Every structure is written in C-alpha cells, then in structure tokens.
C-alpha cells in the first residue's frame, strides 16, 4: 500500500470520486508515480490547515501486448495503378 498526504482540497475531491466510482487514481510524489485503487481518504482533524492521508493499493504495471501475427505483406492499393 502507498500512503500519500496532502492539503489540497481539489486533489482530495479527485481521490474521493475515484474511490466512490471504483476507478484508479494516479499520484506523482517526487520522482515516483503510483497508479492504483484508492482504499481510504482520512482527514487529520488536529491539523490547521486541514490535511488528508490517502491510502492507495498500487496495481502491477501491465505488460505491453504482443502482436498476434506479423504485419501484412500486401502492397498498398495505390501501387496497383502505377
């Protein structure tokens, strides 16, 4: 799990919407980028200005799909007329 802390209300709203709709969210923190499902959005009530702690369950990166077969060897249609 990845824990992220922020004071940006717009960012928190985006994470809450992603959590409610079951969509993945992406966070850029320094040099690292994490994409995954939002597990929780918790407000720290003792802080002024308010801060939130967001917990994300990262997804494993997807492998690039391999082509099913080699590219077509057919000539382009325009070459038939020249």
């Amino acid at each position: 799990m990845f824990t992220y802390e922020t004071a940006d209300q717009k960012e928190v709203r985006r994470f809450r919407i992603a959590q409610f709709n079951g969509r993945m969210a992406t966070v850029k923190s320094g040099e690292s980028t994490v994409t995954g499902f939002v597990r929780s959005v918790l407000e720290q009530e003792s802080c002024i200005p308010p801060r939130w702690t967001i917990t994300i369950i990262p997804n494993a990166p997807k492998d690039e799909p391999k082509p099913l077969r080699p590219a077509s060897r057919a000539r382009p249609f325009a070459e038939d007329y020249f």
Side-chain angles (χ1 to χ4, degrees):
M1 281 193 273
F2 178 78
T3 304
Y4 179 71
E5 189 172 305
T6 185
D8 186 6
Q9 291 181 355
K10 288 182 181 181
E11 195 170 31
V12 171
R13 184 173 188 270
R14 182 174 65 90
F15 287 121
R16 283 187 174 151
I17 290 170
Q19 181 184 18
F20 181 77
N21 292 325
R23 295 185 182 152
M24 291 196 301
T26 301
V27 176
K28 289 185 180 181
S29 178
E31 295 179 6
S32 64
T33 301
V34 177
T35 300
F37 291 101
V38 179
R39 181 175 179 94
S40 66
V41 179
L42 299 173
E43 183 177 0
Q44 298 174 358
E45 297 176 4
S46 62
C47 295
I48 295 178
R51 298 186 68 76
W52 290 268
T53 302
I54 296 133
T55 305
I56 297 177
I57 301 173
N59 279 0
K62 293 183 179 180
D63 295 331
E64 292 190 26
K66 296 179 183 177
L68 298 176
R69 55 186 168 157
S72 173
R73 296 183 186 170
R75 294 178 295 160
F77 180 74
E79 288 183 5
D80 294 337
Y81 294 105
F82 295 105

